[in-house]
Amino acid sequence: MMLCSIPSIRNGLLLAALALAAVAQTADRPARPSSPYSCEMVGGERLSGTQVDVMYRVVPGPITIGKHFAVAMLVCPHAGVTSPASVTVDATMPEHRHGMNYKPSVKFEYGGGQGFRYRAEGMMFHMAGSWELKIEVRAGGKIDRLTRRIVVE
Amino acid sequence: MWQGVARGIVSGASIVIVLAWVCADALAQTGQLLSFSQSDIRRIRSLGPWPPNLPPDPSNRVSGKPAAIELGERLFFSAALSGNGSMHCASCHVPARTWTDGRARGSGLSELDRNTPTLENLRLQRWYGWDGANDTLWAQSIRPLLDQREMHSSVAAVARTVRQDAQLASMYAKTFGRLPGAGDERVLVNVGKALAAFQETIVSARSPFDAFRDALVAGDLVSAARYPEAAQRGLTLFIGRGNCIACHAGPAFSNGEFHEIGIGYFITGSGVDSGRHGGIARLRSTRLNLLGPYNDDRSRKAAIGTRHLREQQRNFGEFRTPGLRNVVLTAPYMHNGSLATLCDVVNHYSELNEERLHADGERILKPLRLIADEKNDLVAFLESLTGVGRGAAPAERPAACGATVR
Ligand SMILES: [Cu+2]
């Protein structure tokens, strides 16, 4: 009888947790600056800087330890910011004090109403654990350093 | 037990995991199967399946072809390929010794600085040699032919041997579609490709660990419980506190990359072994790499690593993480053969001298300070990676690791 009530308790808790998470998310996210670009990427994740927003996606995802992957990016300058001058991508394991054994190459693909498409090839996470992906965009005479923690198992 | 069920439901885990959890707890009481958490099971799962499904090497158009494998086997055991007709590949990579020679460092026409590695499971690697100086198995197979300390032949001599030996020439024609031509280098590279095709077929047999892994993943806890308890405890250390899996990852127990673990790299008489640092330099300087003219894959997809290599200060003294299948059969250990037994290896990781690690190197290893029982457990786990049918562990099976040195 006690046991039967547990799933409902669980459901209640779950809903509460989801609601809390939603609140936390909206609170965390800075108001999105207006941008002339639609900046949409299917399955992409958004990183917001002072000059640009970057949508990125790992290809093929999810990351496998010791296998090369690419990062597809859509760089979207904020209103009034010129087009990006350069984009670099790198990653480190801060707790292990090392980076990747490979130096990715970044290629500009094309620009349009969505934003500016770039692709980084030659990435590899060679150990399990917590990595920090770094995307640096030089635009409008300034550099946006965008980072994201990625844990691979 | 009801507590176990409640725990499972609340955590939202699937029924299978709930049952696995409950039963693992129950069996643990009878002392047969330790309890493994969901994340433990994910890690254990990542160490298989075995044998792996291996596609042919795209850079080698005869990879996986029966005629090439036959020619490669013939070449592997052929002393005619060496400069003075006295040595073949199997002089050092002895099949009955798990394709090693049992010596600390290799010995050919003269002494080498490095330990002779096994040739098992090479298709799973990306870099070859302790320093990764080659990016294909076929290029790596050419190196000993020309090295004057090993077989000490020459490009012209190898090509001449293949042309003049009627049987080799006809097997060559069957493999490559034409008799060996006038270009010596092309013939040499094809010899390397046939040798590679043969070596790719050398794969470790399934081990007791694989049976355990498959049973655990399938939720067959009765079968899983047959895996010795000491090995289970050792495995727990390997994937947990010991963090061995950080580098010894995946089905071959190697991430295929390079690390420094505090093994000295001074060479008697001749300075230092710069490890990966020199490996990168040699890889870049050879036209036999994947960026060169002999890569059979027009798309150059496999060359992505070679194209993006990054040279770093820490590469100095780094060596490729060795695979660990059949490791008990391939003593002595490390790039310079400096550790005689698995107990010595475990003691090394346990008492690690952090000052010996590179100042600007990685921060992954910490002395584990294992007690004697834990060392024996870790060795029991490493022994359980031995292929079934490989007989008992060798005569020099390590004794118990003994008391912890304080
Ligand atoms: Cu790391």
Side-chain angles (χ1 to χ4, degrees), chain B residues 81-84 86-87 106-113 142-155 282:
Chain B
L81 290 185
S82 71
N84 65 5
S86 71
M87 279 229 126
S107 173
L109 296 176
S110 59
E111 298 292 310
L112 305 178
D113 299 321
I142 290 169
R143 186 197 56 88
L145 295 171
L146 307 183
D147 191 316
Q148 55 175 352
R149 297 165 308 167
E150 294 177 62
M151 294 165 73
H152 197 187
S153 187
S154 66
V155 184
R282 286 204 281 153

Side-chain angles (χ1 to χ4, degrees), chain A residues 44-125:
Chain A
E45 283 226 38
R46 182 181 294 267
L47 301 173
S48 293
T50 62
Q51 309 294 301
V52 301
D53 274 18
V54 174
M55 295 291 291
Y56 80 91
R57 188 161 53 95
V58 166
V59 198
I63 296 166
T64 308
I65 296 163
K67 292 266 185 293
H68 283 289
F69 63 90
V71 180
M73 290 164 284
L74 187 59
V75 178
C76 312
H78 297 167
V81 178
T82 53
S83 31
S86 72
V87 175
T88 58
V89 179
D90 211 342
T92 61
M93 284 189 100
E95 284 78 24
H96 288 173
R97 280 198 6 200
H98 66 76
M100 292 191 295
N101 289 343
Y102 302 88
K103 192 169 173 42
S105 56
V106 182
K107 255 201 339 238
F108 170 66
E109 290 182 326
Y110 61 87
Q114 291 189 318
F116 298 84
R117 278 194 182 275
Y118 290 82
R119 190 179 171 93
E121 294 278 358
M123 305 278 299
M124 185 200 286
F125 292 174

Side-chain angles (χ1 to χ4, degrees), chain B residues 38-50 209-210 212-214 216-218 235 239 245 250-251 325:
Chain B
Q38 281 181 62
S39 96
D40 290 344
I41 294 175
R42 267 201 306 278
R43 287 175 177 208
I44 293 166
R45 185 198 174 100
S46 76
L47 297 169
W50 198 263
F209 167 76
D210 297 307
F212 170 75
R213 179 245 176 225
D214 293 357
L216 193 68
V217 166
L235 169 61
I239 62 173
I245 198 175
R325 288 183 176 273

Side-chain angles (χ1 to χ4, degrees), chain A residues 3 6-7 10 65-68 90 95-105 121-122 124 126-128 153, chain B residues 2 6 9-10 39 42 126-127 246-247 255 257-259 304-305 308-310 312 314 359-364:
Chain A
L3 277 174
I6 284 177
R10 179 205 49 188
I65 296 163
K67 292 266 185 293
H68 283 289
D90 211 342
E95 284 78 24
H96 288 173
R97 280 198 6 200
H98 66 76
M100 292 191 295
N101 289 343
Y102 302 88
K103 192 169 173 42
S105 56
E121 294 278 358
M124 185 200 286
H126 62 276
M127 293 172 70
E153 270 206 333
Chain B
W2 282 117
I9 292 174
V10 169
S39 96
R42 267 201 306 278
R126 174 184 317 113
W127 306 109
C247 304
N255 62 352
E257 292 289 327
F258 303 82
H259 298 275
I304 191 161
H308 289 97
L309 269 180
R310 177 194 309 236
Q312 301 172 83
R314 70 167 158 87
D360 52 6
E362 310 165 317
R363 285 285 170 278
I364 304 162

